[in-house]
Amino acid sequence: MASFSNHDAQRSLRAVRWPLRLTWLGMLAEALVQSLWPLLTVCLFVLGALMLGLQDVVIVEVVWAAAVIAGTGALATLGYAFVKFRVPSKAQAVACLDASLPGRPLQALSDQQTIGADDAASTEVWRAHQARMAARAASAEPVAADLRVSARDPYALRYLAILVFGIALLFGSIWRVGSVAQMAPGGAGLAAGPVWEGWAESPRYTGRPTIYLNDIAEGALRVPVGSLITLRLYGEVGALTLSETVSGRTDVPPASDPAQDFTVVQNGMVTINGPGGRSWEIEVIPDAPPQIAVLADPDASAMGEMTLPFEASDDYGVEAGEARFTLDLASVERHYGLTIDPEMRPDLIVPLPTPIAGNRRAFEENLIEDFSEHPWANLPVLAHLSALDGAEQKFETAPRPMVLPGRRFFDPVAAAVIEQRRDLLWSRVNNGRISQILRATSYLPEDLFRKQTDALRLRKVIRQLETFANYGLSDDMQEDLAQEMWDLALILEEGDLADAAERMRRAQERLNEAIKNGASDEEIAELMRELRRATEDYLQQLSRQAQRQQEENQNGPPGDQQNSMQMTQDDLQRMMDRIQELMEQGRMAEAQQALQELQEMMENMRVTQSQQGQGGQSAGEQAMEGLSETLREQQGLSDQAFRDLQEQFNPGAQAGESEGNEGRNGGQGQGQSHEGQQGRGEGGDQQSGAQDGDPSQGQQGQGTEGSIAERQRALREELRRQQQNLPGAGTTEGDAARGALDRAGRAMDDAEEALRNDDLAEAIDNQGQAMEALREGMRALGEMMAQQEQNQQPGQGTQQSDRRAENRDPLGREAGNSGADGDNGPLALNDDAYGRARELLDEIRRRSGQVERPEVERDYLKRLLDRF
């Protein structure tokens, strides 16, 4: 081992000179921060306040007091800095760096051997020790400075000062600091004379910025009407005075008042008299009133929903609008119950929808409302549309005569009940006459009513009318009776839809009555779509019934088959297309005759399921049908949970909207409770069973979230049963379908737990995930079925399977009856899908524009609009 000399020790010390210098600089920075942070805090506070112009908005005495406090604080912190600050020495830096190394090698390199210097062995050991210390010193790193002062600043005043200064940099101006000199005795400001400052602040709704008058030269100045001008006069009182002719004030403060605020309402002059004064010729930018106009006559759907297009504009933007409907008594045909004077009713006022986001200076919207239950429905009214702008200016259109759209009833008994309901709401004096007319109308109930319960409900209404005629009819009683008559008319008009055949027959009768009574094209089109849906439901039930009969008795009575008509779904489709074509061409008599023939044929019809009338459903088709039913039930539960969420934030607001929810649950029609009732609409067997005698079933869906949770759990159990019977085990598509259904089951479990915890929003999200997973599983199952049929050669399987394999499209969907793709599969859309989608989108837009709805509901509707 080579010997280590003193020269080597000195060289090792020189090698650490840069870590030593950096350590010294860190110690210097630490000393500066520890001693100067109070002074810097005070300076940042004062500079930030001056840059923000706080000295210009308070009286001069406050400014002087703040200056004294700031000066005292600055002197105190400066003295603290002189006391605390010490320049670190080199020895302190060496000791600090040496302390950061193991064994203090720098100190060891500086030491001299005093004992055993004459002993060679001892000297060799000493040099070996110094060599090790030199190696340790070579790895020295600068010591980081400790700049923390939290122990001395427990309230973090330094951070508050930095925040104030940062705000001043963003929103202040360094030039405002110079205004302090104008307040100093003998300063440059007073030496040059008194000073002033002024601002012209435009109304907030205009969106225009505030004008700093000191930067505006003399001459013309245009500001919006209603602008607030603020002036501050500094210096000797009376040295500066103000004169203005723009405010129209009668109570004018002294011209030398140092604080002047006034609003611009007219053209005129604003003059500051005195040294450094200035004058402006103010030109007012007028604020035009808003404009609003009706674009076209209102359109009404078959269910009575009105769509009134309008346009509105304003130079700065429309703030709000409303539509007011007044009864046009002079245009009312005064006959029957309308001959007497009507009871006084307030005008019908509804808010107009406005754009949720974007520019409101000019826009077009549609007022979508349903006034079918209002006493003035289908009566002449005068429509007044008004708009309001930010300046509270209001513009109202001239009265526009129109008939307030409402639902039309084509069933004769339902129309009679609605007419008497109108007379009851017109005036309660009609009470006795109404009971007599209804009693005469229902004289032979067995010829008018399809169900005895409907006749009993009408008889109850008649008894109440006769009782109230003797003892008087209050406002609440009048409203209750009107609601009872409305519900009865709906039942009479729509019929008992629990049975598909009855529903189809009722749809045919309603369409026939509409053709006879000269209904509008929109009403006839809506009724035609309803007939198509009812016919499709009837065919599906008839097909299932035929399969059950075939399983029970393979050899049915031949006479029944011979006496029934053979008709395919293609034949039905062509007949309904022909009826619709005749109606569109205005050939109503021929359309009515064709509809009558369809009614006669449907009464004796037997749907053929294949060309040979043989063949049943495969395991895959049965699984697909079961999953489709599960998906519809899950959709119904999700819709009910969403309506319950709405009612939590807006109780009672959904009562008038439930009439527009028909057919939302998979096209099953309108139920007596929320959608999702046992997963079926009125066309379902379970609900009909509830109506026939099980009241407990008929009330499902109307309970609390707990009942929804129970139905969600039952639906989860049904899905678990379907998973056990799912075909295609071992195939890629079958495994994908099982995986998707597992995800759907977990989402259903989460939805059930959220429903039991009354967390409806979370439940809706989980139900949406379950529906998406169900759709994925059904797509995978459809691909598996398509693959199986493609692998089966024609002639080796059943004739029905071969034919279906030929008719499938690349996505595995069966061809429709008229050549269209997939119009009768479990996931197919019906003929009215696109029209229904447009109606739903319009309804979402209407509700999202109603400002009285809760914020959480409108946010949800906005997300729906953004997505679709």
Side-chain angles (χ1 to χ4, degrees), residues 1-12 109 123-124 126-135:
M1 179 176 178
S3 61
F4 189 84
S5 63
N6 292 333
H7 179 72
D8 295 331
Q10 295 299 325
R11 186 170 61 253
S12 298
L109 291 174
T123 303
E124 189 67 23
W126 172 255
R127 291 177 179 177
H129 168 67
Q130 284 195 321
R132 286 196 298 270
M133 293 300 103

Side-chain angles (χ1 to χ4, degrees), residues 138 167 232 253 260 306 351 410 477 495 501 541 562 575 627 655 677 751 774 779 816 819-820 860:
I167 294 175
R232 296 294 181 262
Q260 297 276 356
M306 180 195 73
F410 300 103
M477 296 175 182
Q541 287 196 6
Q562 293 175 359
M575 289 192 66
L627 291 177
Q677 178 175 347
L774 282 173
R779 282 195 292 268
Y860 176 77

Side-chain angles (χ1 to χ4, degrees), residues 5-322:
S5 63
N6 292 333
H7 179 72
D8 295 331
Q10 295 299 325
R11 186 170 61 253
S12 298
L13 289 175
R14 286 194 298 273
V16 297
R17 62 180 181 277
W18 278 111
L20 183 62
R21 291 174 182 175
L22 295 176
T23 301
W24 181 84
L25 290 175
M27 296 176 65
L28 179 63
E30 182 177 344
L32 289 173
V33 170
Q34 297 287 349
S35 59
L36 293 179
W37 73 265
L39 180 61
L40 293 175
T41 300
V42 173
C43 293
L44 290 178
F45 268 126
V46 174
L47 188 59
L50 294 177
M51 292 174 64
L52 290 173
L54 299 182
Q55 72 278 7
D56 299 329
V57 297
V58 296
I59 59 178
V60 67
E61 288 79 7
V62 175
V63 175
W64 278 109
V68 171
I69 295 174
T72 303
L75 292 176
T77 55
L78 184 61
Y80 176 85
F82 276 114
V83 172
K84 290 292 183 180
F85 179 71
R86 294 290 184 275
V87 178
S89 63
K90 182 179 180 181
Q92 290 175 330
V94 171
C96 181
L97 181 62
D98 197 19
S100 66
L101 299 172
R104 294 185 175 271
L106 299 182
Q107 180 66 35
L109 291 174
S110 302
D111 290 342
Q112 300 291 330
Q113 184 180 9
T114 58
I115 300 175
D118 297 334
D119 186 359
S122 176
T123 303
E124 189 67 23
V125 172
W126 172 255
R127 291 177 179 177
H129 168 67
Q130 284 195 321
R132 286 196 298 270
M133 293 300 103
R136 292 182 182 180
S139 62
E141 297 289 341
V143 179
D146 184 8
L147 304 180
R148 293 173 296 178
V149 294
S150 55
R152 296 179 175 82
D153 184 19
Y155 299 105
L157 296 179
R158 62 194 186 283
Y159 293 135
L160 182 60
I162 294 174
L163 176 62
V164 172
F165 183 71
I167 294 175
L169 289 177
L170 291 175
F171 304 104
S173 174
I174 191 64
W175 304 112
R176 292 182 178 178
V177 179
S179 63
V180 179
Q182 302 171 0
M183 304 179 185
L190 290 181
V195 295
W196 58 271
E197 270 193 311
W199 300 267
E201 182 180 359
S202 302
R204 182 169 299 178
Y205 66 86
T206 62
R208 298 168 66 96
T210 300
I211 301 175
Y212 187 53
L213 295 179
N214 293 65
D215 297 336
I216 305 300
E218 289 188 344
L221 177 62
R222 300 181 76 246
V223 296
V225 62
S227 297
L228 177 64
I229 294 183
T230 302
L231 291 172
R232 296 294 181 262
L233 309 178
Y234 306 109
E236 184 180 354
V237 176
L240 294 174
T241 60
L242 170 69
S243 62
E244 55 87 12
T245 60
V246 297
S247 66
R249 295 180 295 181
T250 57
D251 186 12
V252 181
S256 58
D257 194 334
Q260 297 276 356
D261 301 298
F262 52 90
T263 303
V264 177
V265 297
Q266 61 188 14
N267 296 334
M269 297 292 297
V270 174
T271 304
I272 301 176
N273 302 302
R278 204 171 297 177
S279 178
W280 299 276
E281 182 180 353
I282 303 297
E283 181 182 353
V284 173
I285 302 176
D287 186 357
Q291 299 294 320
I292 189 170
V294 178
L295 296 178
D297 292 332
D299 293 331
S301 66
M303 297 296 104
E305 187 178 66
M306 180 195 73
T307 301
L308 181 64
F310 69 92
E311 63 177 0
S313 61
D314 185 68
D315 46 3
Y316 295 113
V318 177
E319 291 291 327
E322 66 179 21

